[in-house]
Amino acid sequence: MLTSVVALVDLRKNRDSPVREAIDLIGGIDDLNNEQREAVIKVGVFGVNTPHYSTVGIVQDIVNAFNKSPKVYLAESDNYQGAALDRLQIWKELFTDRVQPYDLSRDPDTFKLRVENPIRDVVLQLSKIILKPRAFICTHVLRSYHKGSILKNLFGLPPSPKKAQYHKNEVFYNLLTQLYKTIGGIDLSILDGSRFCHHMDSLPTDLIAVGRDPVAVETVGAILASLKLSKHETIKAFTEKGYGVSDIDKIDIVGESFDEMKERCEKTLLQLKKRFSERPKPWSPTGALSKLISSGFFVSPNRRTIGDIESALIEEDPRAEGRSQIIYTNLQRRVKKGILMSEKTDDSVVFWKI
């Protein structure tokens, strides 16, 4: 028996009101969109330099779908890429008296959540704005990232910019599932596939997936992104808790043909992988020094100064210029491992290999 509904809408056919169309396909949201309930839209924006966040057009359409809500908040927290309010400026043209940016990292009205996990004490002070009775809407992009999109977006609720401290698997999956339970779930999920994001690149796929079951939406998105569900630990963690449906045979996909949208995404992913393979590899001090060592450059009686080493690396690859500090750090690591020897002189440090 089908237990969850996910709507697929082709943006090449409907760019004016795709979210509204998807909502109609899944049966409406009258219980969410009314004069008694404010709405919080958790937009997922890691950084502003790559378009790996829901477009202004899609977020505008989400806002329009909540036309009866007295207030609509676009919510985000700080991360190491920047302050929440700075990153939310992506959608500044949508801001009005009714539609406002909301900083989850500086809300004085908070509650405490202790995240149960086997390795460390994790206590969060979370903004109360994410709690019911407000409707909680989650939007993120279609991407080939094994830790998720819609469900992973909950990772942006903790206020600390130092979110790397929660990345260990023993904490990460418990954090997401406990956040979900604490806020009373995600009421509406919009996976924005305007573009398919792969690594730091993206190409248009022009679709959205929308549903009331975030696990089902995540599952559909994972399949569209050619991810293996058997290795998708985020989906597995939520399914084990009973928070949604991840069996594709029990998800009613309405609207556009799932097979056709999947084929479109597969072709786009092939293009993205090809572009990624053709990119020049970034300069690596570790690789560059390994190559220099293998060439015999450091073999005694040669004793190489920092200047000698930098000159040799720049001659091999001009991208080594201006990397003095990282080159020196990598040299010191080789010394500690016994790969190289070093000695201070009056005006430099010399390195050699016995």
Side-chain angles (χ1 to χ4, degrees), residues 143 145-153 218 227 232 234:
R143 59 182 180 176
Y145 180 47
H146 69 283
K147 285 200 170 180
S149 183
I150 292 294
L151 300 174
K152 167 67 167 61
N153 198 16
E218 188 80 67
L227 296 172
H232 202 304
T234 302

Side-chain angles (χ1 to χ4, degrees), residues 304-320:
R304 306 296 191 178
T305 66
I306 294 292
D308 296 334
I309 298 165
E310 286 187 22
S311 295
L313 291 174
I314 293 168
E315 184 176 351
E316 178 68 23
D317 190 330
R319 292 178 296 175

Side-chain angles (χ1 to χ4, degrees), residues 65-132:
F66 285 82
N67 59 327
K68 295 179 182 178
S69 296
K71 288 282 187 182
V72 177
Y73 302 100
L74 304 190
E76 190 53 276
S77 67
D78 292 354
N79 66 15
Y80 76 85
Q81 289 282 322
L85 292 181
D86 291 341
R87 294 176 7 257
L88 286 169
Q89 292 305 303
I90 292 164
W91 298 282
K92 64 182 178 181
E93 65 188 78
L94 307 183
F95 299 161
T96 64
D97 289 340
R98 189 179 79 94
V99 182
Q100 300 178 1
Y102 203 90
D103 186 343
L104 298 175
S105 292
R106 290 169 184 79
D107 190 343
D109 191 14
T110 62
F111 68 98
K112 183 183 292 187
L113 174 65
R114 186 177 299 276
V115 178
E116 297 176 7
N117 69 89
I119 62 171
R120 52 174 294 221
D121 190 36
V122 176
V123 180
L124 308 173
Q125 289 294 139
L126 299 169
S127 170
K128 288 184 179 178
I129 202 168
I130 61 179
L131 298 174
K132 301 292 182 280

Side-chain angles (χ1 to χ4, degrees), residues 30-49:
D30 290 344
D31 59 318
L32 303 178
N33 177 36
N34 56 62
E35 293 82 358
Q36 286 72 48
R37 299 187 74 174
E38 295 181 337
V40 176
I41 303 173
K42 174 59 178 70
V43 289
V45 51
F46 176 65
V48 299
N49 295 324

